[in-house]
Amino acid sequence: MESMGDLLQQLQSPSFRQRSRSIVEQVMNDPLVMEFRAEHPELKEEQLRLNMSRLYQYARDRRNCSQCPGLERCPNDFQGHYCKLAVEQINGQPQIVDSRTPCGLQFAHEHEQQVRQRIRSFYVDERALQEGYDAVEIARKDLQRAPAVTQLFRYITETKDVGLQTRGMYLEGSFGTGKTYLMGYMLNELAAAGYHGVIVYMPDFVEDLKSMIQEGQKLKETTDLLKNCDLLVFDDIGAENLSPWVRDHVLGSILNYRMNRKPTFYTSNYSLQDLERHLSFTSRDGEELYKGQRLMDRIRPFVDVVSVKGKNQRGS
């Protein structure tokens, strides 16, 4: 390690002083710095020289941004940010102050992260929620489902305009017509507007609920989340293997709390009539029509039925 004396000797050497003068001259003659100086004629030469590192960083970041290689390969010292200079009056004297300002790409990235944090999923493929959604592509992908897409777009627009509604939607249709995809689009659009959503894949969720009987705290946290989120989607309802406890004490409790408060959405291969028959039957007690009807009284009056037609898109 060099001694302090050696360092001081280097600082006093003619070559070091010459190199320092060259750097100062280069920075002062940089077009971006000259432009900044022209905007602030009140700054004296001495002040500019005392802020040489700020001026250098400012010009370097601006030049990097003009040839931006993308957020992940950002060459600036603070990724996604650039040095911004301003002049403020401090004790009656103009002073240069700098700040690290996020660029447009960084703003977009942060917004995307905020949107994702507003959506929770249980057993739903995250790729279905994170891929880029394009309204035009959604509308054109299969013209048979155009009426359903139009109805969904209308719902999203109304929610953005007037606020959270109490009615949800029941998307019914055959396999692979894009029901889950449409719900993912809705969640992303409304999460971008500030709403929080949860999507639950029913077959796996119901099986997991059965294992939570002995985990009271986890069960309470899960059901409280589903009760209180702004938007709740039960994906593929009707494909699960119900037990009386899940149907009557978990689903019934969640839906009873949400009705007339917050919207609940469903995707299913069943019509509402067929879903009622499904909910009337459990693996333990067999058919109990009145219990299926009781649960449907918490679903049917609070949804608009949307028929999603089209070709099976899975694997395409």
Side-chain angles (χ1 to χ4, degrees):
M1 183 176 179
E2 293 180 298
S3 67
M4 182 62 70
D6 292 336
L7 290 173
L8 291 173
Q9 188 173 2
Q10 289 181 25
L11 293 175
Q12 294 172 2
S13 69
S15 61
F16 180 84
R17 290 199 297 270
Q18 178 60 39
R19 187 152 51 92
S20 298
R21 283 195 295 270
S22 176
I23 292 173
V24 170
E25 184 177 349
Q26 182 181 351
V27 171
M28 295 293 277
N29 291 321
D30 187 290
L32 292 168
V33 174
M34 293 178 69
E35 181 183 344
F36 177 76
R37 294 175 65 182
E39 293 172 355
H40 299 282
E42 70 274 20
L43 294 171
K44 300 188 179 339
E45 187 81 11
E46 181 182 355
Q47 290 173 302
L48 292 167
R49 291 181 179 275
L50 288 173
N51 288 275
M52 195 56 55
S53 62
R54 289 188 173 97
L55 294 172
Y56 174 81
Q57 191 73 46
Y58 166 76
R60 178 178 176 272
D61 286 2
R62 285 280 300 273
R63 196 163 283 108
N64 287 338
C65 289
S66 68
Q67 301 174 350
C68 176
L71 187 60
E72 292 185 356
R73 293 187 294 163
C74 175
N76 291 348
D77 294 341
F78 190 6
Q79 186 183 58
H81 295 71
Y82 61 91
C83 177
K84 183 177 181 179
L85 296 184
V87 176
E88 296 180 0
Q89 293 292 326
I90 301 176
N91 297 325
Q93 296 293 326
Q95 301 288 338
I96 297 176
V97 294
D98 62 344
S99 60
R100 293 297 180 269
T101 303
C103 67
L105 293 180
Q106 180 66 23
F107 269 123
H109 173 72
E110 291 174 358
H111 177 69
E112 182 182 347
Q113 291 298 106
Q114 290 171 355
V115 169
R116 289 183 179 181
Q117 288 169 5
R118 294 189 187 115
I119 302 174
R120 288 281 305 275
S121 68
F122 289 85
Y123 317 104
V124 176
D125 189 347
E126 292 291 336
R127 290 173 297 179
L129 301 175
Q130 295 179 2
E131 60 183 295
Y133 292 98
D134 182 89
V136 175
E137 180 186 356
I138 288 174
R140 291 180 177 175
K141 193 168 186 178
D142 191 334
L143 294 180
Q144 293 183 66
R145 71 180 187 190
V149 171
T150 300
Q151 196 167 343
L152 180 73
F153 285 0
R154 187 183 304 120
Y155 185 93
I156 293 170
T157 300
E158 289 176 356
T159 301
K160 289 180 178 179
D161 289 344
V162 304
L164 197 64
Q165 305 177 55
T166 57
R167 290 182 68 81
M169 304 176 79
Y170 185 90
L171 274 60
E172 62 176 24
S174 57
F175 297 99
T177 52
K179 300 182 295 295
T180 304
Y181 184 83
L182 292 176
M183 285 292 95
Y185 174 78
M186 179 197 71
L187 288 176
N188 272 274
E189 284 292 301
L190 294 181
Y195 296 104
H196 291 78
V198 177
I199 183 169
V200 176
Y201 179 61
M202 285 298 287
D204 289 346
F205 180 64
V206 166
E207 291 305 312
D208 201 27
L209 280 175
K210 294 173 184 177
S211 68
M212 288 188 202
I213 296 177
Q214 306 302 324
E215 302 179 64
Q217 185 60 33
K218 183 179 179 182
L219 177 62
K220 183 180 185 305
E221 291 173 357
T222 302
T223 55
D224 283 350
L225 174 64
L226 302 191
K227 286 178 179 179
N228 292 293
C229 63
D230 296 326
L231 309 152
L232 174 61
V233 179
F234 284 125
D235 185 41
D236 209 6
I237 191 170
E240 68 283 338
N241 182 19
L242 283 174
S243 70
W245 175 74
V246 169
R247 179 191 62 193
D248 302 332
H249 298 285
V250 181
L251 286 181
S253 173
I254 293 169
L255 296 180
N256 189 64
Y257 182 87
R258 292 185 65 85
M259 63 181 186
N260 287 322
R261 283 191 178 96
K262 295 183 178 181
T264 306
F265 305 80
Y266 309 83
T267 75
S268 183
N269 298 323
Y270 287 159
S271 66
L272 285 175
Q273 184 177 353
D274 291 336
L275 181 65
E276 181 173 332
R277 282 195 290 268
H278 167 76
L279 296 176
S280 299
F281 185 88
T282 63
S283 55
R284 193 188 74 182
D285 294 341
E287 191 171 53
E288 298 175 292
L289 291 176
Y290 75 97
K291 290 192 175 180
Q293 293 169 354
R294 188 167 180 265
L295 196 57
M296 287 303 296
D297 285 343
R298 289 157 175 76
I299 297 176
R300 186 181 283 111
F302 305 102
V303 293
D304 294 321
V305 177
V306 180
S307 179
V308 184
K309 298 178 180 179
K311 300 176 183 178
N312 189 338
Q313 300 289 334
R314 289 177 183 168
S316 61

